[in-house]
Amino acid sequence: MSDDEPVAVTQDFTGRRWLFPSALIHELDQDARASGRRPRRTARDWAVDLSCFLLAVVIGLVASRSLPDERDLPHSLAVLDQTLGVLSCVAVWLRRRWPVGLAVAMIPVGLLSDTSGGAAMVVLFTLAVHRPFRYVAWIGGAQLALIPLFFWLRPDPDLPYAGVVAFTALITVSITGWGMFVRSKRMLMLSLRDRAHRAETEARLRAEQAQRLAREAIAREMHDVLAHRLTLLSVHAGALEFRPDAPREEIVRAAGVIRESAHEALQDLREIIGVLRAGESDDAAGGRPQPTLAALDALVAESREAGMKVSLDHRVADPAAVPASVGRTAYRIAQEALTNARKHAPGTEVTVRLTGTPGDGLTVTVANPAPPSRVPPVPGSGQGLIGLSERATLTGGHLDHGTTPDGGFEVRAWLPWGEP
């Protein structure tokens, strides 16, 4: 927050404007600050300015009645005193526009004119309200320092020197403190308004981030679930397209796989959309239970039925003992790796190896050799592996992937499996 200006707030002011100072409304009104125009006086400002003007006039009239009692005061100085007093009272109406300049001008005027004392107090109060403390310290300190000099040059005919100096200094300090208190209340109001706006902005950003993360999670889930099903559809549809003369048994089997894969894909899509509509997590969804490590055998069998050569090396003694989140992640890793092997290395034998014990973690390895012939690049490659890396990281593990020395490809993931 700057020392020269109050806190900037980006919300429009919606209260009753006539009850608030124009300077405060100007800071709370986004349109007014953007346009750069001066704040217009409100009804409250007119009432306050009129009261200050009348107060300065009353104090000036009281001071002017004591001028004849100063015997050593020349007539020309008395006329100058009253002239400066009148001009000072008129200048009170300009105090909002030039608070610093008017306060500086009142220092020599106050030294020459006793009738300008009321206007000087009003100007000092305005300075304390509208400007930071450093301005008040310098200008108010100069006025305090000149009080003894003024009453030494023009002693009060009725009061002792020490008493009148102390009383005037007390009034000056009180008015300055009052103005600083008003300024602190305004700054507090602006600070609270700014804090509330920041809290709303942060809440909105958190909500947007939560929505974005939810959409990313849903996108990963859709990719993991549907990519496998649609790949099966593509493989068997391609076989039917390029082998129209295939035996009837193969055509019937391929059509059955296509029908079953399409049914499974639609079922999975319904579940994901149901989670979207209900706003629940995977575990809270009301559809079919999410796959765990126990479903890995069924995944391998499904891939074999689709014509893939898959070798499963399952060395986990009790798959049911694996935590559900870890098992689900391992299943998704194997599912995505098999889908990638089917797309990028068709016709090769894929090896799925699963090892691990409680305390040592769970290791999933899916490897395939290089394809026998060049395979055209598949659009969007690599997105699934990025999603799997994020899944493994969120579970507390890690995932590595890359080519093997023989030109094949290997996906290796380690997932935490704590002691029971």
Side-chain angles (χ1 to χ4, degrees):
M1 182 173 62
S2 175
D3 291 337
D4 295 333
E5 296 180 357
V7 180
V9 187
T10 59
Q11 292 183 340
D12 295 337
F13 183 79
T14 57
R16 297 181 178 179
R17 292 176 175 265
W18 64 275
L19 287 176
F20 290 86
S22 58
L24 184 61
I25 295 177
H26 182 71
E27 294 299 328
L28 296 175
D29 194 339
Q30 181 181 7
D31 296 336
R33 287 186 290 104
S35 64
R37 64 177 183 270
R38 285 189 168 277
R40 298 179 60 182
R41 283 189 177 95
T42 62
R44 177 191 178 278
D45 290 339
W46 283 106
V48 171
D49 290 349
L50 180 60
S51 300
C52 291
F53 173 74
L54 294 178
L55 178 63
V57 170
V58 170
I59 295 177
L61 291 176
V62 172
S64 66
R65 295 185 61 182
S66 63
L67 291 179
D69 297 335
E70 299 183 35
R71 300 177 181 178
D72 299 333
L73 183 66
H75 178 70
S76 59
L77 186 57
V79 173
L80 178 62
D81 188 320
Q82 297 182 58
T83 303
L84 292 175
V86 172
L87 295 177
S88 299
C89 292
V90 175
V92 166
W93 292 98
L94 304 176
R95 63 192 180 90
R96 296 181 184 273
R97 180 170 296 185
W98 299 299
V100 176
L102 193 57
V104 172
M106 291 304 298
I107 294 176
V109 171
L111 189 60
L112 297 174
S113 173
D114 190 20
T115 57
S116 64
M121 294 294 103
V122 172
V123 171
L124 182 62
F125 173 79
T126 304
L127 178 70
V129 171
H130 293 279
R131 290 296 179 266
F133 175 73
R134 64 175 181 269
Y135 295 99
V136 181
W138 283 104
I139 299 175
Q143 291 188 2
L144 282 173
L146 292 177
I147 289 176
L149 178 61
F150 176 81
F151 287 106
W152 182 73
L153 295 175
R154 298 178 59 178
D156 191 282
D158 301 324
L159 298 174
Y161 174 77
V164 71
V165 169
F167 177 76
T168 306
L170 179 61
I171 292 295
T172 302
V173 172
S174 300
I175 290 176
T176 304
W178 183 21
M180 293 175 63
F181 174 72
V182 172
R183 174 178 171 80
S184 66
K185 287 184 62 178
R186 292 186 181 181
M187 298 296 290
L188 178 61
M189 180 184 298
L190 293 172
S191 177
L192 293 176
R193 186 71 176 265
D194 181 60
R195 185 178 303 175
H197 172 67
R198 289 177 182 175
E200 293 175 359
T201 303
E202 291 175 359
R204 186 175 65 254
L205 291 177
R206 284 195 298 268
E208 293 175 355
Q209 183 180 13
Q211 291 177 353
R212 179 177 58 81
L213 294 176
R215 289 170 182 170
E216 291 177 357
I218 293 168
R220 287 196 299 268
E221 190 68 20
M222 292 184 68
H223 178 276
D224 295 341
V225 171
L226 298 180
H228 177 72
R229 307 293 182 190
L230 295 180
T231 302
L232 292 178
L233 287 173
S234 176
V235 169
H236 287 279
L240 291 178
E241 180 182 4
F242 291 104
R243 293 283 308 276
D245 56 344
R248 177 178 177 82
E249 292 77 10
E250 292 185 11
I251 294 177
V252 171
R253 186 175 62 85
V257 173
I258 291 175
R259 181 186 59 80
E260 184 65 23
S261 298
H263 176 74
E264 294 288 338
L266 289 175
Q267 189 71 12
D268 292 334
L269 185 60
R270 289 192 190 100
E271 291 180 7
I272 295 174
I273 294 176
V275 172
L276 262 177
R277 291 174 177 172
E280 299 174 348
S281 62
D282 291 345
D283 298 333
R288 294 178 302 172
Q290 292 296 307
T292 59
L293 197 61
L296 185 60
D297 293 333
L299 175 66
V300 172
E302 183 182 20
S303 299
R304 288 170 178 169
E305 290 179 2
M308 288 187 68
K309 301 175 183 179
V310 183
S311 173
L312 177 61
D313 184 7
H314 200 317
R315 300 185 183 181
V316 178
D318 187 8
V322 179
S325 60
V326 176
R328 181 165 55 251
T329 302
Y331 177 90
R332 294 303 187 196
I333 290 173
Q335 184 184 48
E336 176 64 21
L338 288 173
T339 301
N340 289 340
R342 187 182 299 115
K343 291 189 296 185
H344 301 287
T348 60
E349 183 176 0
V350 185
T351 302
V352 180
R353 185 177 297 108
L354 191 67
T355 60
T357 56
D360 294 333
L362 184 69
T363 302
V364 183
T365 305
V366 181
N368 62 270
S373 60
R374 184 178 179 275
V375 179
V378 179
S381 299
Q383 299 299 319
L385 292 175
I386 295 175
L388 292 182
S389 299
E390 293 180 0
R391 278 183 176 271
T393 302
L394 290 175
T395 310
H398 56 82
L399 183 142
D400 301 315
H401 56 83
T403 56
T404 58
D406 61 352
F409 195 83
E410 182 181 74
V411 177
R412 182 182 180 86
W414 179 88
L415 305 174
W417 182 7
E419 294 286 350

